[in-house]
Amino acid sequence: VNICSVLDALVNFADADAISQIHQHGGVCTLCTGISLHPASENLAMHSCNVLSSAIPCMDPGTISTIREPLKECLIGIMDRHVECPEVLTSVFDAIWACCQQDELIKNIMIDETHISVILSAMQLNLGSANLQRSGCSLLWLLSSGAGNGKELIGSCGGIPTVVNAMLAHNESTVVQKEGLIALKNLAISSCNKPIFAETGVKDAVICSLWINCKDPQVISIGLSALNNIAVDSEKKSVAKMSEQTLLLVTAAMSLFPLDENVQKNACFFIKSCSYLPANLDLM
């Protein structure tokens, strides 16, 4: 535990030499072995995962492929065992995020009903932890990005209301809002998830988030993109009716951030999408 805490402190200060040395001297496998020998230690798991979060992005795909199996078993084991400890879960979610970002095979392994259910259960059990909700939402948006069935699987396992609850519980945390909005934006792409979005009242939650965090252009930009994906059903080639409140929000955002390219682009894109419905044109 003491050695891992020292390594954690070094990488926490972005010590590139320390990260390189950990990588070169087989530190990742050593950390995985230590965790497997002491699975109940929360401090060991937390510090080890923090080190892995910094070390994994510095590793090339070839190197990761040689340690993929012990790394996967180690991280999934931590997640399953420490489901009620938010500090450990935050660290392991960040480490899994780093692995999935670097290795598509690990990402595909995580897109599994059992693993996704554990992630969602952990978020639901620890709703009061903003850090955990941030890391959980980050992991969900990564697992729902790109091709594959991640969007549908997360939706069917209850991921949409879990993300909404995270955002509502920490509505003034811009970090939670950004990560949650990205997750909702990805999940809204799937037509299978549209009924869940309607039943859960996701659109109202997104609008609420944007009003509360109206001074942050990044939240506004991501939120407008999420609203666009929520409104558009590409499979059915349809778009939802826009409310006066939504139109007011979009125009207010454009007025508030006239020089922010992303806000202006996403607002215009959303208005363009909505304009395909005659009722929305009448409102505009």
Side-chain angles (χ1 to χ4, degrees), residues 140-141 144-145 151 160 163 167 177-190 193-194 197 202 206 218 221-232 265-266:
L140 291 176
W141 75 244
S144 61
S145 64
K151 300 174 184 65
I160 294 164
V163 172
M167 293 173 60
Q177 299 306 304
K178 290 172 191 175
E179 302 301 321
L181 287 169
I182 296 173
L184 293 176
K185 179 183 75 170
N186 290 349
L187 293 167
I189 294 173
S190 172
N193 289 334
K194 295 297 182 182
F197 270 78
V202 177
V206 171
Q218 284 189 315
S221 174
I222 301 168
L224 290 172
S225 184
L227 285 173
N228 179 80
N229 288 0
I230 292 169
V232 175
K265 178 185 70 175
N266 289 340

PDB file of all heavy atoms in Angstrom, residues 140-141 144-145 151 160 163 167 177-190 193-194 197 202 206 218 221-232 265-266:
ATOM      1  N   LEU A 140     -19.615   5.580 -19.210  1.00  0.00           N
ATOM      2  CA  LEU A 140     -20.807   5.248 -19.989  1.00  0.00           C
ATOM      3  C   LEU A 140     -20.775   5.904 -21.364  1.00  0.00           C
ATOM      4  O   LEU A 140     -21.168   5.286 -22.358  1.00  0.00           O
ATOM      5  CB  LEU A 140     -22.073   5.654 -19.239  1.00  0.00           C
ATOM      6  CG  LEU A 140     -22.390   4.841 -17.975  1.00  0.00           C
ATOM      7  CD1 LEU A 140     -23.615   5.408 -17.272  1.00  0.00           C
ATOM      8  CD2 LEU A 140     -22.617   3.362 -18.321  1.00  0.00           C
ATOM      9  N   TRP A 141     -20.300   7.163 -21.431  1.00  0.00           N
ATOM     10  CA  TRP A 141     -20.277   7.779 -22.761  1.00  0.00           C
ATOM     11  C   TRP A 141     -19.218   7.142 -23.654  1.00  0.00           C
ATOM     12  O   TRP A 141     -19.394   7.031 -24.878  1.00  0.00           O
ATOM     13  CB  TRP A 141     -20.150   9.296 -22.708  1.00  0.00           C
ATOM     14  CG  TRP A 141     -18.859   9.983 -22.374  1.00  0.00           C
ATOM     15  CD1 TRP A 141     -18.622  10.762 -21.286  1.00  0.00           C
ATOM     16  CD2 TRP A 141     -17.651  10.044 -23.166  1.00  0.00           C
ATOM     17  NE1 TRP A 141     -17.348  11.279 -21.328  1.00  0.00           N
ATOM     18  CE2 TRP A 141     -16.731  10.859 -22.489  1.00  0.00           C
ATOM     19  CE3 TRP A 141     -17.255   9.493 -24.382  1.00  0.00           C
ATOM     20  CZ2 TRP A 141     -15.446  11.135 -22.957  1.00  0.00           C
ATOM     21  CZ3 TRP A 141     -15.970   9.759 -24.864  1.00  0.00           C
ATOM     22  CH2 TRP A 141     -15.089  10.570 -24.156  1.00  0.00           C
ATOM     23  N   SER A 144     -20.631   3.872 -24.922  1.00  0.00           N
ATOM     24  CA  SER A 144     -21.748   4.077 -25.857  1.00  0.00           C
ATOM     25  C   SER A 144     -21.314   4.790 -27.129  1.00  0.00           C
ATOM     26  O   SER A 144     -22.145   5.109 -27.981  1.00  0.00           O
ATOM     27  CB  SER A 144     -22.873   4.874 -25.181  1.00  0.00           C
ATOM     28  OG  SER A 144     -22.413   6.156 -24.778  1.00  0.00           O
ATOM     29  N   SER A 145     -20.030   5.046 -27.269  1.00  0.00           N
ATOM     30  CA  SER A 145     -19.531   5.737 -28.462  1.00  0.00           C
ATOM     31  C   SER A 145     -19.187   4.736 -29.559  1.00  0.00           C
ATOM     32  O   SER A 145     -18.909   3.566 -29.286  1.00  0.00           O
ATOM     33  CB  SER A 145     -18.289   6.565 -28.118  1.00  0.00           C
ATOM     34  OG  SER A 145     -17.229   5.715 -27.701  1.00  0.00           O
ATOM     35  N   LYS A 151     -24.816   1.377 -26.900  1.00  0.00           N
ATOM     36  CA  LYS A 151     -25.928   2.296 -26.651  1.00  0.00           C
ATOM     37  C   LYS A 151     -27.175   1.538 -26.211  1.00  0.00           C
ATOM     38  O   LYS A 151     -27.834   1.901 -25.236  1.00  0.00           O
ATOM     39  CB  LYS A 151     -26.246   3.106 -27.917  1.00  0.00           C
ATOM     40  CG  LYS A 151     -25.108   3.962 -28.445  1.00  0.00           C
ATOM     41  CD  LYS A 151     -25.476   4.600 -29.763  1.00  0.00           C
ATOM     42  CE  LYS A 151     -24.322   5.373 -30.357  1.00  0.00           C
ATOM     43  NZ  LYS A 151     -23.168   4.511 -30.723  1.00  0.00           N
ATOM     44  N   ILE A 160     -29.983   5.210 -18.814  1.00  0.00           N
ATOM     45  CA  ILE A 160     -30.492   6.563 -19.088  1.00  0.00           C
ATOM     46  C   ILE A 160     -30.990   7.248 -17.810  1.00  0.00           C
ATOM     47  O   ILE A 160     -30.543   8.354 -17.493  1.00  0.00           O
ATOM     48  CB  ILE A 160     -31.581   6.510 -20.188  1.00  0.00           C
ATOM     49  CG1 ILE A 160     -30.940   6.067 -21.510  1.00  0.00           C
ATOM     50  CG2 ILE A 160     -32.256   7.875 -20.363  1.00  0.00           C
ATOM     51  CD1 ILE A 160     -31.920   5.619 -22.568  1.00  0.00           C
ATOM     52  N   VAL A 163     -28.000   8.147 -15.499  1.00  0.00           N
ATOM     53  CA  VAL A 163     -27.266   9.361 -15.884  1.00  0.00           C
ATOM     54  C   VAL A 163     -28.069  10.609 -15.499  1.00  0.00           C
ATOM     55  O   VAL A 163     -27.518  11.584 -14.967  1.00  0.00           O
ATOM     56  CB  VAL A 163     -26.956   9.364 -17.400  1.00  0.00           C
ATOM     57  CG1 VAL A 163     -26.370  10.709 -17.825  1.00  0.00           C
ATOM     58  CG2 VAL A 163     -25.989   8.235 -17.746  1.00  0.00           C
ATOM     59  N   MET A 167     -27.011  13.715 -12.917  1.00  0.00           N
ATOM     60  CA  MET A 167     -27.028  15.134 -13.272  1.00  0.00           C
ATOM     61  C   MET A 167     -27.918  15.939 -12.338  1.00  0.00           C
ATOM     62  O   MET A 167     -27.576  17.060 -11.948  1.00  0.00           O
ATOM     63  CB  MET A 167     -27.479  15.290 -14.720  1.00  0.00           C
ATOM     64  CG  MET A 167     -26.489  14.732 -15.742  1.00  0.00           C
ATOM     65  SD  MET A 167     -27.138  14.738 -17.423  1.00  0.00           S
ATOM     66  CE  MET A 167     -27.454  16.490 -17.662  1.00  0.00           C
ATOM     67  N   GLN A 177     -22.199  17.515 -15.258  1.00  0.00           N
ATOM     68  CA  GLN A 177     -23.131  17.883 -16.330  1.00  0.00           C
ATOM     69  C   GLN A 177     -22.536  17.587 -17.704  1.00  0.00           C
ATOM     70  O   GLN A 177     -23.206  17.011 -18.577  1.00  0.00           O
ATOM     71  CB  GLN A 177     -23.498  19.369 -16.236  1.00  0.00           C
ATOM     72  CG  GLN A 177     -24.176  19.777 -14.945  1.00  0.00           C
ATOM     73  CD  GLN A 177     -25.398  18.949 -14.616  1.00  0.00           C
ATOM     74  OE1 GLN A 177     -26.331  18.850 -15.405  1.00  0.00           O
ATOM     75  NE2 GLN A 177     -25.404  18.312 -13.440  1.00  0.00           N
ATOM     76  N   LYS A 178     -21.279  17.945 -17.903  1.00  0.00           N
ATOM     77  CA  LYS A 178     -20.641  17.717 -19.210  1.00  0.00           C
ATOM     78  C   LYS A 178     -20.574  16.231 -19.538  1.00  0.00           C
ATOM     79  O   LYS A 178     -20.943  15.806 -20.638  1.00  0.00           O
ATOM     80  CB  LYS A 178     -19.228  18.312 -19.223  1.00  0.00           C
ATOM     81  CG  LYS A 178     -19.183  19.823 -19.216  1.00  0.00           C
ATOM     82  CD  LYS A 178     -17.744  20.309 -19.039  1.00  0.00           C
ATOM     83  CE  LYS A 178     -17.703  21.806 -18.767  1.00  0.00           C
ATOM     84  NZ  LYS A 178     -16.331  22.281 -18.465  1.00  0.00           N
ATOM     85  N   GLU A 179     -20.094  15.437 -18.582  1.00  0.00           N
ATOM     86  CA  GLU A 179     -19.945  14.005 -18.835  1.00  0.00           C
ATOM     87  C   GLU A 179     -21.315  13.339 -19.011  1.00  0.00           C
ATOM     88  O   GLU A 179     -21.484  12.469 -19.872  1.00  0.00           O
ATOM     89  CB  GLU A 179     -19.180  13.339 -17.686  1.00  0.00           C
ATOM     90  CG  GLU A 179     -17.799  13.912 -17.410  1.00  0.00           C
ATOM     91  CD  GLU A 179     -16.870  13.838 -18.599  1.00  0.00           C
ATOM     92  OE1 GLU A 179     -16.904  12.828 -19.326  1.00  0.00           O
ATOM     93  OE2 GLU A 179     -16.104  14.787 -18.817  1.00  0.00           O
ATOM     94  N   GLY A 180     -22.283  13.765 -18.201  1.00  0.00           N
ATOM     95  CA  GLY A 180     -23.627  13.203 -18.320  1.00  0.00           C
ATOM     96  C   GLY A 180     -24.284  13.563 -19.641  1.00  0.00           C
ATOM     97  O   GLY A 180     -24.943  12.722 -20.272  1.00  0.00           O
ATOM     98  N   LEU A 181     -24.097  14.798 -20.077  1.00  0.00           N
ATOM     99  CA  LEU A 181     -24.695  15.239 -21.343  1.00  0.00           C
ATOM    100  C   LEU A 181     -24.090  14.502 -22.536  1.00  0.00           C
ATOM    101  O   LEU A 181     -24.791  14.169 -23.492  1.00  0.00           O
ATOM    102  CB  LEU A 181     -24.529  16.753 -21.506  1.00  0.00           C
ATOM    103  CG  LEU A 181     -25.414  17.618 -20.611  1.00  0.00           C
ATOM    104  CD1 LEU A 181     -24.978  19.072 -20.655  1.00  0.00           C
ATOM    105  CD2 LEU A 181     -26.880  17.489 -21.012  1.00  0.00           C
ATOM    106  N   ILE A 182     -22.782  14.255 -22.484  1.00  0.00           N
ATOM    107  CA  ILE A 182     -22.148  13.493 -23.569  1.00  0.00           C
ATOM    108  C   ILE A 182     -22.726  12.078 -23.613  1.00  0.00           C
ATOM    109  O   ILE A 182     -23.002  11.532 -24.687  1.00  0.00           O
ATOM    110  CB  ILE A 182     -20.617  13.440 -23.395  1.00  0.00           C
ATOM    111  CG1 ILE A 182     -20.007  14.838 -23.488  1.00  0.00           C
ATOM    112  CG2 ILE A 182     -19.992  12.551 -24.479  1.00  0.00           C
ATOM    113  CD1 ILE A 182     -18.526  14.898 -23.159  1.00  0.00           C
ATOM    114  N   ALA A 183     -22.910  11.481 -22.427  1.00  0.00           N
ATOM    115  CA  ALA A 183     -23.492  10.132 -22.368  1.00  0.00           C
ATOM    116  C   ALA A 183     -24.901  10.127 -22.957  1.00  0.00           C
ATOM    117  O   ALA A 183     -25.250   9.261 -23.767  1.00  0.00           O
ATOM    118  CB  ALA A 183     -23.519   9.634 -20.923  1.00  0.00           C
ATOM    119  N   LEU A 184     -25.727  11.119 -22.573  1.00  0.00           N
ATOM    120  CA  LEU A 184     -27.095  11.185 -23.100  1.00  0.00           C
ATOM    121  C   LEU A 184     -27.095  11.444 -24.605  1.00  0.00           C
ATOM    122  O   LEU A 184     -27.929  10.892 -25.340  1.00  0.00           O
ATOM    123  CB  LEU A 184     -27.879  12.282 -22.374  1.00  0.00           C
ATOM    124  CG  LEU A 184     -28.173  12.029 -20.889  1.00  0.00           C
ATOM    125  CD1 LEU A 184     -28.868  13.230 -20.275  1.00  0.00           C
ATOM    126  CD2 LEU A 184     -29.017  10.769 -20.700  1.00  0.00           C
ATOM    127  N   LYS A 185     -26.183  12.280 -25.056  1.00  0.00           N
ATOM    128  CA  LYS A 185     -26.075  12.573 -26.498  1.00  0.00           C
ATOM    129  C   LYS A 185     -25.813  11.287 -27.279  1.00  0.00           C
ATOM    130  O   LYS A 185     -26.439  11.045 -28.323  1.00  0.00           O
ATOM    131  CB  LYS A 185     -24.943  13.574 -26.738  1.00  0.00           C
ATOM    132  CG  LYS A 185     -24.725  13.933 -28.203  1.00  0.00           C
ATOM    133  CD  LYS A 185     -23.543  14.870 -28.381  1.00  0.00           C
ATOM    134  CE  LYS A 185     -22.236  14.129 -28.213  1.00  0.00           C
ATOM    135  NZ  LYS A 185     -21.061  14.959 -28.618  1.00  0.00           N
ATOM    136  N   ASN A 186     -24.891  10.455 -26.771  1.00  0.00           N
ATOM    137  CA  ASN A 186     -24.587   9.185 -27.443  1.00  0.00           C
ATOM    138  C   ASN A 186     -25.758   8.214 -27.383  1.00  0.00           C
ATOM    139  O   ASN A 186     -26.112   7.577 -28.379  1.00  0.00           O
ATOM    140  CB  ASN A 186     -23.355   8.532 -26.809  1.00  0.00           C
ATOM    141  CG  ASN A 186     -22.073   9.284 -27.103  1.00  0.00           C
ATOM    142  OD1 ASN A 186     -22.036  10.182 -27.940  1.00  0.00           O
ATOM    143  ND2 ASN A 186     -21.012   8.930 -26.403  1.00  0.00           N
ATOM    144  N   LEU A 187     -26.356   8.097 -26.200  1.00  0.00           N
ATOM    145  CA  LEU A 187     -27.445   7.137 -26.003  1.00  0.00           C
ATOM    146  C   LEU A 187     -28.676   7.502 -26.828  1.00  0.00           C
ATOM    147  O   LEU A 187     -29.449   6.625 -27.235  1.00  0.00           O
ATOM    148  CB  LEU A 187     -27.810   7.053 -24.524  1.00  0.00           C
ATOM    149  CG  LEU A 187     -26.728   6.450 -23.611  1.00  0.00           C
ATOM    150  CD1 LEU A 187     -27.064   6.699 -22.146  1.00  0.00           C
ATOM    151  CD2 LEU A 187     -26.575   4.956 -23.865  1.00  0.00           C
ATOM    152  N   ALA A 188     -28.856   8.810 -27.093  1.00  0.00           N
ATOM    153  CA  ALA A 188     -30.033   9.266 -27.837  1.00  0.00           C
ATOM    154  C   ALA A 188     -29.967   8.904 -29.313  1.00  0.00           C
ATOM    155  O   ALA A 188     -30.988   8.966 -30.015  1.00  0.00           O
ATOM    156  CB  ALA A 188     -30.193  10.777 -27.687  1.00  0.00           C
ATOM    157  N   ILE A 189     -28.811   8.530 -29.798  1.00  0.00           N
ATOM    158  CA  ILE A 189     -28.664   8.181 -31.215  1.00  0.00           C
ATOM    159  C   ILE A 189     -29.463   6.931 -31.554  1.00  0.00           C
ATOM    160  O   ILE A 189     -30.025   6.811 -32.643  1.00  0.00           O
ATOM    161  CB  ILE A 189     -27.171   7.984 -31.573  1.00  0.00           C
ATOM    162  CG1 ILE A 189     -26.415   9.309 -31.449  1.00  0.00           C
ATOM    163  CG2 ILE A 189     -27.007   7.410 -32.972  1.00  0.00           C
ATOM    164  CD1 ILE A 189     -24.915   9.186 -31.604  1.00  0.00           C
ATOM    165  N   SER A 190     -29.541   5.996 -30.621  1.00  0.00           N
ATOM    166  CA  SER A 190     -30.232   4.730 -30.865  1.00  0.00           C
ATOM    167  C   SER A 190     -31.753   4.897 -30.803  1.00  0.00           C
ATOM    168  O   SER A 190     -32.292   5.391 -29.813  1.00  0.00           O
ATOM    169  CB  SER A 190     -29.797   3.685 -29.831  1.00  0.00           C
ATOM    170  OG  SER A 190     -30.589   2.521 -29.939  1.00  0.00           O
ATOM    171  N   ASN A 193     -33.670   3.483 -27.830  1.00  0.00           N
ATOM    172  CA  ASN A 193     -33.690   4.211 -26.562  1.00  0.00           C
ATOM    173  C   ASN A 193     -34.707   5.356 -26.533  1.00  0.00           C
ATOM    174  O   ASN A 193     -34.938   5.935 -25.467  1.00  0.00           O
ATOM    175  CB  ASN A 193     -32.297   4.777 -26.264  1.00  0.00           C
ATOM    176  CG  ASN A 193     -31.299   3.704 -25.891  1.00  0.00           C
ATOM    177  OD1 ASN A 193     -31.670   2.641 -25.391  1.00  0.00           O
ATOM    178  ND2 ASN A 193     -30.022   3.963 -26.123  1.00  0.00           N
ATOM    179  N   LYS A 194     -35.306   5.689 -27.671  1.00  0.00           N
ATOM    180  CA  LYS A 194     -36.214   6.843 -27.732  1.00  0.00           C
ATOM    181  C   LYS A 194     -37.390   6.729 -26.755  1.00  0.00           C
ATOM    182  O   LYS A 194     -37.719   7.708 -26.070  1.00  0.00           O
ATOM    183  CB  LYS A 194     -36.727   7.030 -29.168  1.00  0.00           C
ATOM    184  CG  LYS A 194     -35.656   7.391 -30.182  1.00  0.00           C
ATOM    185  CD  LYS A 194     -35.009   8.732 -29.891  1.00  0.00           C
ATOM    186  CE  LYS A 194     -33.987   9.079 -30.967  1.00  0.00           C
ATOM    187  NZ  LYS A 194     -33.313  10.368 -30.684  1.00  0.00           N
ATOM    188  N   PHE A 197     -36.183   7.612 -23.298  1.00  0.00           N
ATOM    189  CA  PHE A 197     -35.948   9.048 -23.169  1.00  0.00           C
ATOM    190  C   PHE A 197     -37.254   9.773 -22.897  1.00  0.00           C
ATOM    191  O   PHE A 197     -37.315  10.668 -22.046  1.00  0.00           O
ATOM    192  CB  PHE A 197     -35.287   9.586 -24.441  1.00  0.00           C
ATOM    193  CG  PHE A 197     -33.787   9.556 -24.408  1.00  0.00           C
ATOM    194  CD1 PHE A 197     -33.099   8.377 -24.619  1.00  0.00           C
ATOM    195  CD2 PHE A 197     -33.053  10.712 -24.164  1.00  0.00           C
ATOM    196  CE1 PHE A 197     -31.716   8.336 -24.585  1.00  0.00           C
ATOM    197  CE2 PHE A 197     -31.672  10.687 -24.128  1.00  0.00           C
ATOM    198  CZ  PHE A 197     -30.993   9.507 -24.337  1.00  0.00           C
ATOM    199  N   VAL A 202     -36.084  13.001 -20.156  1.00  0.00           N
ATOM    200  CA  VAL A 202     -34.680  13.410 -20.296  1.00  0.00           C
ATOM    201  C   VAL A 202     -34.565  14.819 -20.846  1.00  0.00           C
ATOM    202  O   VAL A 202     -33.728  15.608 -20.400  1.00  0.00           O
ATOM    203  CB  VAL A 202     -33.914  12.420 -21.203  1.00  0.00           C
ATOM    204  CG1 VAL A 202     -32.476  12.888 -21.402  1.00  0.00           C
ATOM    205  CG2 VAL A 202     -33.929  11.030 -20.604  1.00  0.00           C
ATOM    206  N   VAL A 206     -32.318  17.889 -19.344  1.00  0.00           N
ATOM    207  CA  VAL A 206     -31.242  18.569 -20.082  1.00  0.00           C
ATOM    208  C   VAL A 206     -31.483  20.069 -20.094  1.00  0.00           C
ATOM    209  O   VAL A 206     -30.555  20.860 -19.851  1.00  0.00           O
ATOM    210  CB  VAL A 206     -31.152  18.020 -21.526  1.00  0.00           C
ATOM    211  CG1 VAL A 206     -30.180  18.870 -22.355  1.00  0.00           C
ATOM    212  CG2 VAL A 206     -30.697  16.566 -21.521  1.00  0.00           C
ATOM    213  N   GLN A 218     -19.326  25.420 -22.511  1.00  0.00           N
ATOM    214  CA  GLN A 218     -19.126  24.004 -22.852  1.00  0.00           C
ATOM    215  C   GLN A 218     -20.358  23.180 -22.509  1.00  0.00           C
ATOM    216  O   GLN A 218     -20.773  22.313 -23.282  1.00  0.00           O
ATOM    217  CB  GLN A 218     -17.899  23.449 -22.132  1.00  0.00           C
ATOM    218  CG  GLN A 218     -16.573  23.876 -22.740  1.00  0.00           C
ATOM    219  CD  GLN A 218     -15.414  23.116 -22.117  1.00  0.00           C
ATOM    220  OE1 GLN A 218     -15.332  22.960 -20.898  1.00  0.00           O
ATOM    221  NE2 GLN A 218     -14.498  22.659 -22.950  1.00  0.00           N
ATOM    222  N   SER A 221     -22.977  24.053 -25.100  1.00  0.00           N
ATOM    223  CA  SER A 221     -22.675  23.459 -26.408  1.00  0.00           C
ATOM    224  C   SER A 221     -23.009  21.966 -26.450  1.00  0.00           C
ATOM    225  O   SER A 221     -23.679  21.490 -27.374  1.00  0.00           O
ATOM    226  CB  SER A 221     -21.194  23.674 -26.738  1.00  0.00           C
ATOM    227  OG  SER A 221     -20.838  23.004 -27.918  1.00  0.00           O
ATOM    228  N   ILE A 222     -22.544  21.234 -25.426  1.00  0.00           N
ATOM    229  CA  ILE A 222     -22.812  19.785 -25.370  1.00  0.00           C
ATOM    230  C   ILE A 222     -24.306  19.530 -25.209  1.00  0.00           C
ATOM    231  O   ILE A 222     -24.869  18.626 -25.822  1.00  0.00           O
ATOM    232  CB  ILE A 222     -22.023  19.127 -24.222  1.00  0.00           C
ATOM    233  CG1 ILE A 222     -20.516  19.334 -24.398  1.00  0.00           C
ATOM    234  CG2 ILE A 222     -22.334  17.634 -24.148  1.00  0.00           C
ATOM    235  CD1 ILE A 222     -19.694  18.980 -23.172  1.00  0.00           C
ATOM    236  N   GLY A 223     -24.954  20.361 -24.390  1.00  0.00           N
ATOM    237  CA  GLY A 223     -26.385  20.192 -24.154  1.00  0.00           C
ATOM    238  C   GLY A 223     -27.218  20.399 -25.412  1.00  0.00           C
ATOM    239  O   GLY A 223     -28.182  19.667 -25.663  1.00  0.00           O
ATOM    240  N   LEU A 224     -26.844  21.379 -26.223  1.00  0.00           N
ATOM    241  CA  LEU A 224     -27.563  21.624 -27.477  1.00  0.00           C
ATOM    242  C   LEU A 224     -27.399  20.444 -28.430  1.00  0.00           C
ATOM    243  O   LEU A 224     -28.342  20.051 -29.124  1.00  0.00           O
ATOM    244  CB  LEU A 224     -27.047  22.910 -28.135  1.00  0.00           C
ATOM    245  CG  LEU A 224     -27.408  24.213 -27.412  1.00  0.00           C
ATOM    246  CD1 LEU A 224     -26.674  25.389 -28.047  1.00  0.00           C
ATOM    247  CD2 LEU A 224     -28.918  24.448 -27.438  1.00  0.00           C
ATOM    248  N   SER A 225     -26.206  19.871 -28.442  1.00  0.00           N
ATOM    249  CA  SER A 225     -25.969  18.688 -29.262  1.00  0.00           C
ATOM    250  C   SER A 225     -26.794  17.504 -28.765  1.00  0.00           C
ATOM    251  O   SER A 225     -27.341  16.724 -29.558  1.00  0.00           O
ATOM    252  CB  SER A 225     -24.471  18.333 -29.248  1.00  0.00           C
ATOM    253  OG  SER A 225     -24.185  17.256 -30.103  1.00  0.00           O
ATOM    254  N   ALA A 226     -26.908  17.373 -27.432  1.00  0.00           N
ATOM    255  CA  ALA A 226     -27.731  16.306 -26.857  1.00  0.00           C
ATOM    256  C   ALA A 226     -29.205  16.511 -27.209  1.00  0.00           C
ATOM    257  O   ALA A 226     -29.903  15.555 -27.572  1.00  0.00           O
ATOM    258  CB  ALA A 226     -27.552  16.271 -25.338  1.00  0.00           C
ATOM    259  N   LEU A 227     -29.683  17.744 -27.120  1.00  0.00           N
ATOM    260  CA  LEU A 227     -31.073  18.037 -27.461  1.00  0.00           C
ATOM    261  C   LEU A 227     -31.367  17.690 -28.923  1.00  0.00           C
ATOM    262  O   LEU A 227     -32.445  17.188 -29.255  1.00  0.00           O
ATOM    263  CB  LEU A 227     -31.390  19.513 -27.199  1.00  0.00           C
ATOM    264  CG  LEU A 227     -31.556  19.921 -25.732  1.00  0.00           C
ATOM    265  CD1 LEU A 227     -31.705  21.434 -25.621  1.00  0.00           C
ATOM    266  CD2 LEU A 227     -32.750  19.214 -25.094  1.00  0.00           C
ATOM    267  N   ASN A 228     -30.395  17.942 -29.791  1.00  0.00           N
ATOM    268  CA  ASN A 228     -30.572  17.604 -31.206  1.00  0.00           C
ATOM    269  C   ASN A 228     -30.754  16.093 -31.380  1.00  0.00           C
ATOM    270  O   ASN A 228     -31.664  15.638 -32.070  1.00  0.00           O
ATOM    271  CB  ASN A 228     -29.365  18.080 -32.010  1.00  0.00           C
ATOM    272  CG  ASN A 228     -29.489  17.744 -33.484  1.00  0.00           C
ATOM    273  OD1 ASN A 228     -30.180  18.431 -34.236  1.00  0.00           O
ATOM    274  ND2 ASN A 228     -28.821  16.687 -33.910  1.00  0.00           N
ATOM    275  N   ASN A 229     -29.891  15.313 -30.734  1.00  0.00           N
ATOM    276  CA  ASN A 229     -29.979  13.858 -30.864  1.00  0.00           C
ATOM    277  C   ASN A 229     -31.247  13.292 -30.228  1.00  0.00           C
ATOM    278  O   ASN A 229     -31.787  12.290 -30.683  1.00  0.00           O
ATOM    279  CB  ASN A 229     -28.750  13.192 -30.251  1.00  0.00           C
ATOM    280  CG  ASN A 229     -27.500  13.390 -31.085  1.00  0.00           C
ATOM    281  OD1 ASN A 229     -27.545  14.025 -32.143  1.00  0.00           O
ATOM    282  ND2 ASN A 229     -26.376  12.872 -30.631  1.00  0.00           N
ATOM    283  N   ILE A 230     -31.702  13.953 -29.157  1.00  0.00           N
ATOM    284  CA  ILE A 230     -32.946  13.517 -28.513  1.00  0.00           C
ATOM    285  C   ILE A 230     -34.138  13.769 -29.434  1.00  0.00           C
ATOM    286  O   ILE A 230     -35.052  12.946 -29.547  1.00  0.00           O
ATOM    287  CB  ILE A 230     -33.145  14.249 -27.168  1.00  0.00           C
ATOM    288  CG1 ILE A 230     -32.084  13.797 -26.144  1.00  0.00           C
ATOM    289  CG2 ILE A 230     -34.551  14.004 -26.609  1.00  0.00           C
ATOM    290  CD1 ILE A 230     -32.023  14.648 -24.890  1.00  0.00           C
ATOM    291  N   ALA A 231     -34.113  14.897 -30.140  1.00  0.00           N
ATOM    292  CA  ALA A 231     -35.238  15.277 -30.996  1.00  0.00           C
ATOM    293  C   ALA A 231     -35.308  14.468 -32.286  1.00  0.00           C
ATOM    294  O   ALA A 231     -36.394  14.176 -32.794  1.00  0.00           O
ATOM    295  CB  ALA A 231     -35.147  16.768 -31.333  1.00  0.00           C
ATOM    296  N   VAL A 232     -34.151  14.083 -32.807  1.00  0.00           N
ATOM    297  CA  VAL A 232     -34.099  13.436 -34.116  1.00  0.00           C
ATOM    298  C   VAL A 232     -34.085  11.918 -33.982  1.00  0.00           C
ATOM    299  O   VAL A 232     -33.313  11.368 -33.198  1.00  0.00           O
ATOM    300  CB  VAL A 232     -32.847  13.896 -34.899  1.00  0.00           C
ATOM    301  CG1 VAL A 232     -32.711  13.132 -36.208  1.00  0.00           C
ATOM    302  CG2 VAL A 232     -32.908  15.395 -35.158  1.00  0.00           C
ATOM    303  N   LYS A 265     -22.627  26.834 -33.594  1.00  0.00           N
ATOM    304  CA  LYS A 265     -22.755  25.718 -34.549  1.00  0.00           C
ATOM    305  C   LYS A 265     -23.816  24.729 -34.092  1.00  0.00           C
ATOM    306  O   LYS A 265     -24.692  24.330 -34.887  1.00  0.00           O
ATOM    307  CB  LYS A 265     -21.407  25.008 -34.687  1.00  0.00           C
ATOM    308  CG  LYS A 265     -21.426  23.799 -35.623  1.00  0.00           C
ATOM    309  CD  LYS A 265     -20.082  23.073 -35.619  1.00  0.00           C
ATOM    310  CE  LYS A 265     -19.857  22.354 -34.291  1.00  0.00           C
ATOM    311  NZ  LYS A 265     -18.614  21.548 -34.288  1.00  0.00           N
ATOM    312  N   ASN A 266     -23.754  24.315 -32.817  1.00  0.00           N
ATOM    313  CA  ASN A 266     -24.706  23.316 -32.319  1.00  0.00           C
ATOM    314  C   ASN A 266     -26.126  23.869 -32.229  1.00  0.00           C
ATOM    315  O   ASN A 266     -27.103  23.143 -32.443  1.00  0.00           O
ATOM    316  CB  ASN A 266     -24.249  22.779 -30.965  1.00  0.00           C
ATOM    317  CG  ASN A 266     -23.026  21.888 -31.072  1.00  0.00           C
ATOM    318  OD1 ASN A 266     -22.718  21.375 -32.142  1.00  0.00           O
ATOM    319  ND2 ASN A 266     -22.312  21.716 -29.975  1.00  0.00           N
TER     320      ASN A 266
END
